[in-house]
Each structure stands twice: as structure tokens, then as C-alpha cells.
Amino acid sequence: MEQTLVLVKPDGVQRGLVGQIITRLERRGLKLIGMKFMQVTRELAASHYEAHVGKPFYEGLVDYITSSPVVAMVWEGKDGIQVVRTTMGATNAAVAAPGTIRGDFAVEIGRNLVHGSDGPESAAREIGLFFASDELVNWPREADRWIRE
Ligand code: IDP
Ligand code: MG
């Protein structure tokens, strides 16, 4: 099973889209194993977005993610990283497919509502930044046999 970090970014919280974003991930069949409502500090933002240091949008990105609270979550599932990313849609919301979170609720790259880890290594690193291991819950879900063969 893969675990992945998902953030509802400040625009998602401010716009009242937390519930709809969680609903889409639940409905897809992913399993929630950790969740917190929190303010991202500039220090945490710098660690989380270290791969983007030096890019033209970096300072604006740190301002954005620290501007207001976020909902941080860990979701689990087979191919969970890819399943989350296809549910989120393309980074640039202007071209994200309808039916995706970004394609249905957002219009530009700088206000694209959600974060999802992009690979197993970044997922492990990002989960470690946002959650202590005892904040993740290992629980059996009865519906699993109706979601996967
Ligand atoms: P991802 O969130 O789809 O994985 P990344 O390329 O990892 O996309 O970029 C991280 C975040 O940085 C994006 O979600 C978006 O918020 C922001 N970002 C990326 N490129 C741009 C840009 O060209 N202008 C403004 N913000 C950007
Ligand atoms: Mg990314």
C-alpha cells in the first residue's frame, strides 16, 4: 500500500472546499489514515517545497501556503500516489480536466487548491514533515473488498 501527503491549501480552506475535496478522495476509494488542521510556518514551507527553491514562483508559493490554515492529510491505497494525482488534476488548473478537483474548482496554477506527493520518496519525506508516526492510524476498512479485487 502506498501512502501520500495531501494538503487542502489555503484557498481550499478559505473557499469552503475542504469537505468537497475530502469527499472526492473518499469516494475514489482511498483510505484516510491521518488528518490535521494547521498553520504552515515558513520553515515548514521551505522544507516541503525545497525542490522549488530558486524557481521564479518560489517566494510566492511560500507566501501562498503560509497565508492561511491548511488541512494536512495522509491517504493510503494501492497506487495511492497516482490515484491522488489523477483525482487532483493537472498542476495548471486552467488546463486541468473537468472531473478533477482542480479542473472543477480552480482556474490557475497559483491557486490550485491541493497538494499531492509526486512519488514514493517525496511522499515519505513529506509525511514525515507533517506527521509524527503516532498520528497515523492503521485501521481495517470493511469496504475494502468492494473497492479492490
Ligand atoms: P504539483 O503541486 O502539481 O505537484 P509542482 O510542480 O510540484 O506541482 O509545483 C508545486 C506548486 O507550486 C504547484 O501546485 C503550484 O501551487 C505552484 N506552482 C508551480 N508552478 C507555478 C507557476 O508557474 N506559477 C505559480 N505557481 C506555481
Ligand atoms: Mg509537486
Side-chain angles (χ1 to χ4, degrees):
M1 283 295 151
E2 264 179 8
Q3 297 180 348
T4 185
L5 181 81
V6 175
L7 303 176
V8 179
K9 293 176 175 179
D11 46 343
V13 173
Q14 289 281 353
R15 292 176 56 196
L17 295 172
V18 171
Q20 296 200 58
I21 290 168
I22 291 174
T23 293
R24 283 170 179 237
L25 297 169
E26 277 188 308
R27 209 169 60 179
R28 188 87 196 263
L30 292 155
K31 188 165 90 173
L32 181 65
I33 63 167
M35 176 158 69
K36 61 172 82 164
F37 184 63
M38 60 184 284
Q39 177 70 44
V40 175
T41 63
R42 292 191 79 85
E43 187 184 18
L44 175 58
S47 300
H48 177 65
Y49 283 128
E50 69 179 14
H52 299 294
V53 171
K55 294 182 183 172
F57 59 85
Y58 175 76
E59 287 299 329
L61 178 58
V62 172
D63 289 345
Y64 166 43
I65 203 72
T66 59
S67 61
S68 189
V70 304
V71 177
M73 296 173 280
V74 178
W75 289 84
E76 186 181 270
K78 184 167 172 286
D79 302 317
I81 293 167
Q82 187 178 16
V83 170
V84 165
R85 287 188 67 91
T86 57
T87 307
M88 291 193 317
T91 305
N92 182 359
V95 298
T100 65
I101 293 166
R102 289 163 169 170
D104 285 349
F105 298 130
V107 290
E108 66 172 52
I109 195 166
R111 294 288 182 271
N112 61 2
L113 294 172
V114 275
H115 169 84
S117 307
D118 68 4
E121 279 140 44
S122 59
R125 192 181 75 82
E126 293 169 2
I127 290 168
L129 287 175
F130 281 82
F131 289 89
S133 53
D134 67 359
E135 294 175 317
L136 301 180
V137 181
N138 182 11
W139 60 288
R141 187 173 57 176
E142 305 305 328
D144 277 350
R145 68 195 179 99
W146 301 106
I147 294 169
R148 295 238 176 233
E149 66 175 10

